Amino acid sequence: MWMGGTPPLGYRPDGRSLAIVEDHAAVIRDIFARYLDLGNVRLLGQALARERIRVPLRTMTSSGRAFGGVAFTRGQLYAILKRPAYIGEIHHRGSVHTALHPPIIDPDTWDRVQTLLKSNTVGARRGSRAASPSLLAGKVVDAAGQPLVAVHATKGTTRYRYYVSRSLQTGESTTGMRIPARELEVAVTTRLTALFADPLALIGSCWLDVPANQVSAMMARCGELRLSPSAGHRSVVQALVERVQIDHDHIEITCPVAAIAELLQVARDSDGPATIAIRSAVTLSRSGSAMRLVHSDGAAVAAIPNPALVRLLLRARRWWTILRTGEVDTKTLARQEGVNPAYITRVVRLAFLAPAIVDAIITGRASVAVDVAALTATGAIVPRWADQVAMMLPWGSLNREIR
């Protein structure tokens, strides 16, 4: 039962209850959906402001005074996302009552939003959140244009970030993309840096209006740009990236020309394009449950060590140290460790990996095809170091690594 006063945005008084105002309810649904995509209220507010989505104009029930028509504040967004009226509930003094008015938000969306709000609050209190949210949140889509959501998972004290297909995240599908965030961010910022490495081509593709006496200064500014996912470059990268589309054999980055011109402190021709699209020739390769971005030689875009592989190498060294004393045989060690003797044999062989491979695993430069299953497969480790490197390292041959 509605007890009077100005109703929540999305509703109007209807006798002693409320009725949905569909135009306003659409804004509420959009806010909930965007929050699930972006995972951050500050980014949500920025996205709404950027698209000029404002608080709808309404009239106060009591005084008849008009209000609204302004940008959403962070406090307003938090209040909307936490308001149980939107699922048709009234919370009062610890009790939950079913309201007479119809819901605007479905229960599943509500539950996922409350879980995300709670996890973000807990993370902030514990200091476990990154200094800033995912760099490309709200900008990444797959080849079909479907959004990838910025999410994170915590294992122990380690926080892992991913960009995940929305359908996969919501459970609507069991297939989709799950890309390590760091790798995608490195690929994008590396390609952006390369864009500025050829200033003359940039002038032509962006229709930049650069007087002859300013070309040298512009080229100098281009030469100084070394973009990365670090916090110091965050605002620049976000301004330069409008959209990142991931295909099976490349990623395409759409950049607003106005942002490029502003960064370089030059004008642009008003008849020129509003955006340009640049490509990075990286491919998707599956590694476990995640898709990895790799160069044509098989190396991951971002050098991120695989913790499972590092633990496996440490286990191999430890088991070999025990076995080499001759006081314990393989069967006894297997019994002590609770594993199969054949597994002991396959793992111990890793104590004899080529130093170049060990170094590549520890530094995250090994081919993404080198995982735990590949290293422990029967016959995976050949005796000669040269052959091991040719099989496992992304550059495919020893070259200078062993010679």
Side-chain angles (χ1 to χ4, degrees):
M1 181 181 298
W2 183 244
M3 304 304 292
T6 302
L9 177 63
Y11 292 104
R12 61 173 175 80
D14 185 24
R16 302 191 69 182
S17 185
L18 298 171
I20 292 176
V21 179
E22 191 52 47
D23 288 349
H24 297 177
V27 175
I28 297 299
R29 295 187 190 102
D30 185 46
I31 286 172
F32 274 75
R34 286 174 185 258
Y35 179 66
L36 288 176
D37 279 350
L38 299 173
N40 181 278
V41 171
R42 180 179 60 81
L43 288 178
L44 170 61
Q46 290 176 351
L48 294 173
R50 187 167 56 248
E51 298 178 31
R52 294 181 173 82
I53 298 174
R54 294 175 169 262
V55 181
L57 281 169
R58 294 192 291 162
T59 303
M60 280 194 174
T61 305
S62 56
S63 65
R65 182 171 62 86
F67 67 104
V70 297
F72 283 97
T73 66
R74 199 179 305 183
Q76 286 175 313
L77 293 173
Y78 273 114
I80 287 171
L81 294 169
K82 294 179 179 179
R83 193 152 196 173
Y86 291 127
I87 54 166
E89 292 182 353
I90 297 173
H91 294 191
H92 182 65
R93 294 183 178 180
S95 298
V96 178
H97 307 277
T98 301
L100 298 177
H101 65 265
I104 290 176
I105 300 299
D106 65 89
D108 178 64
T109 298
W110 171 264
D111 289 343
R112 288 189 289 118
V113 164
Q114 303 316 304
T115 298
L116 185 55
L117 284 168
K118 184 177 179 181
S119 67
N120 285 345
T121 301
V122 171
R125 287 174 181 168
R126 294 178 180 173
S128 62
R129 296 188 69 199
S132 52
S134 293
L135 180 65
L136 303 173
K139 299 176 183 284
V140 185
V141 299
D142 63 18
Q146 296 302 307
L148 271 67
V149 184
V151 301
H152 73 269
T154 303
K155 187 173 183 180
T157 59
T158 305
R159 190 168 184 262
Y160 301 92
R161 295 186 301 113
Y162 300 92
Y163 292 99
V164 181
S165 297
R166 181 193 286 173
S167 59
L168 192 62
Q169 172 70 2
T170 59
E172 298 171 11
S173 172
T174 57
T175 60
M177 293 183 177
R178 182 181 176 86
I179 300 176
R182 175 72 180 179
E183 294 191 4
L184 181 57
E185 291 161 4
V186 168
V188 168
T189 53
T190 299
R191 182 63 185 88
L192 286 175
T193 298
L195 172 67
F196 292 96
D198 191 347
L200 296 181
L202 193 60
I203 291 174
S205 61
C206 294
W207 289 39
L208 299 180
D209 187 3
V210 187
N213 62 352
Q214 295 181 21
V215 171
S216 295
M218 176 204 156
M219 294 179 70
R221 284 191 287 272
C222 286
E224 294 168 357
L225 282 173
R226 295 291 185 274
L227 299 174
S228 74
S230 67
H233 296 164
R234 181 178 185 81
S235 60
V236 174
V237 173
Q238 289 185 324
L240 290 174
V241 176
E242 180 175 292
R243 169 171 150 138
V244 177
Q245 185 163 15
I246 304 175
D247 213 324
H248 71 282
D249 61 353
H250 68 272
I251 60 174
E252 184 172 281
I253 307 161
T254 302
C255 305
V257 171
I260 294 172
E262 182 178 351
L263 179 63
L264 298 178
Q265 302 173 31
V266 298
R268 70 184 186 92
D269 192 322
S270 58
D271 293 330
T275 62
I276 62 168
I278 57 177
R279 287 191 174 193
S280 178
V282 296
T283 59
L284 290 172
S285 177
R286 183 168 293 281
S287 177
S289 61
M291 297 296 291
R292 304 288 302 276
L293 287 170
V294 301
H295 296 293
S296 57
D297 61 4
V301 168
I304 303 174
N306 183 331
L309 282 181
V310 175
R311 288 194 298 270
L312 189 67
L313 292 184
L314 292 174
R315 176 177 289 182
R317 296 292 181 92
R318 181 171 65 84
W319 285 353
W320 171 240
T321 300
I322 295 171
L323 291 172
R324 68 186 297 183
T325 65
E327 298 175 2
V328 176
D329 61 17
T330 301
K331 289 185 179 179
T332 303
L333 180 59
R335 191 164 53 250
Q336 293 173 352
E337 297 288 325
V339 298
N340 188 288
Y343 180 71
I344 292 277
T345 301
R346 292 199 300 272
V347 171
V348 165
R349 288 180 303 179
L350 302 183
F352 304 97
L353 279 175
I357 295 176
V358 174
D359 181 69
I361 290 173
I362 292 174
T363 58
R365 295 182 299 109
S367 167
V368 296
V370 178
D371 55 16
V372 171
L375 286 182
T376 56
T378 302
I381 308 301
V382 294
R384 294 184 67 245
W385 282 358
D387 294 336
Q388 291 178 14
V389 173
M391 292 170 59
M392 297 184 191
L393 292 188
W395 44 82
S397 63
L398 286 178
N399 295 329
R400 295 183 297 275
E401 270 67 26
I402 292 179
R403 291 177 187 175

